[in-house]
Amino acid sequence: MAAESEPKWEGKAIVELPGKEAESAWSAIQDFCNLHKWIPLDTCYYVEGIQGQPGLIRYCASTVKDPESQTPTIKWAKEKLLTIDPIQHSLSYEVGENNMGFNSYVGTFQVLPLNGDPKLGCKIEWGFLCDPVEGWTFQALNSYIENALQFMANKIHLACSLPA
């Protein structure tokens, strides 16, 4: 298998949320089974495990159309929460069973103070380390993560701007 001899793909997307508290961004990210509220997915829901604890498994899915035939296909993955640290505002997860071409993928999220000063706002980092993904290029995966993170930042910004 050629993928085994290829180097791992590693990347990180970062988005800044000036004027937004880290707690606001963290509350969105730590809600592991509701990712569909923050990035463009059709669904994301609890499968098994204890909410907020390592071992929690979620199911994520979206319908995509084949570019040539326009036939819709449901692309899905089960993802397992590996670590979660509410003090450091970080979590890691792995993609398990899926039909998206992932063999080995570990993602990380971390919310950090902007320029080291929480009064300035926060930034979200979404990193990944994976084997080359069947049917993807590194650039396509990296671009997807950058776009999804920007979408998430926009949703968090909007949610933080709404009156309580």
Side-chain angles (χ1 to χ4, degrees):
M1 300 213 304
E4 288 180 13
S5 63
E6 293 181 47
K8 294 227 181 235
W9 291 352
E10 185 171 10
K12 183 186 292 184
I14 300 171
V15 67
E16 295 183 353
L17 290 165
K20 300 302 173 194
E21 293 181 12
E23 279 302 320
S24 300
W26 176 244
S27 67
I29 291 167
Q30 75 174 346
D31 190 7
F32 193 68
C33 294
N34 284 307
L35 188 62
H36 64 293
K37 292 180 179 179
W38 305 105
I39 69 171
L41 291 172
D42 293 344
T43 190
C44 177
Y45 59 81
Y46 167 89
V47 174
E48 65 183 61
I50 300 171
Q51 293 286 357
Q53 298 295 315
L56 177 66
I57 297 175
R58 68 183 175 197
Y59 171 88
C60 300
S62 282
T63 303
V64 296
K65 288 187 178 178
D66 180 275
E68 294 175 17
S69 69
Q70 293 299 304
T71 304
T73 303
I74 296 175
K75 294 292 187 178
W76 61 271
K78 288 184 180 177
E79 300 178 344
K80 181 178 184 178
L81 184 61
L82 298 175
T83 64
I84 185 164
D85 185 337
I87 304 299
Q88 295 297 317
H89 295 139
S90 66
L91 66 77
S92 64
Y93 68 98
E94 70 180 345
V95 173
E97 193 179 341
N98 71 91
N99 72 347
M100 299 173 59
F102 291 97
N103 291 318
S104 170
Y105 173 100
V106 173
T108 58
F109 277 100
Q110 185 160 23
V111 180
L112 300 162
L114 193 55
N115 297 324
D117 184 350
K119 293 177 186 163
L120 297 176
C122 68
K123 65 181 177 180
I124 305 170
E125 296 182 352
W126 182 353
F128 67 91
L129 179 65
C130 65
D131 288 336
V133 183
E134 184 180 322
W136 291 66
T137 63
F138 172 81
Q139 292 78 13
L141 178 61
N142 201 54
S143 179
Y144 170 80
I145 287 174
E146 287 174 350
N147 291 332
L149 184 58
Q150 185 60 57
F151 188 90
M152 176 187 280
N154 292 342
K155 295 277 271 193
I156 290 169
H157 180 77
L158 180 61
C160 292
S161 301
L162 297 174

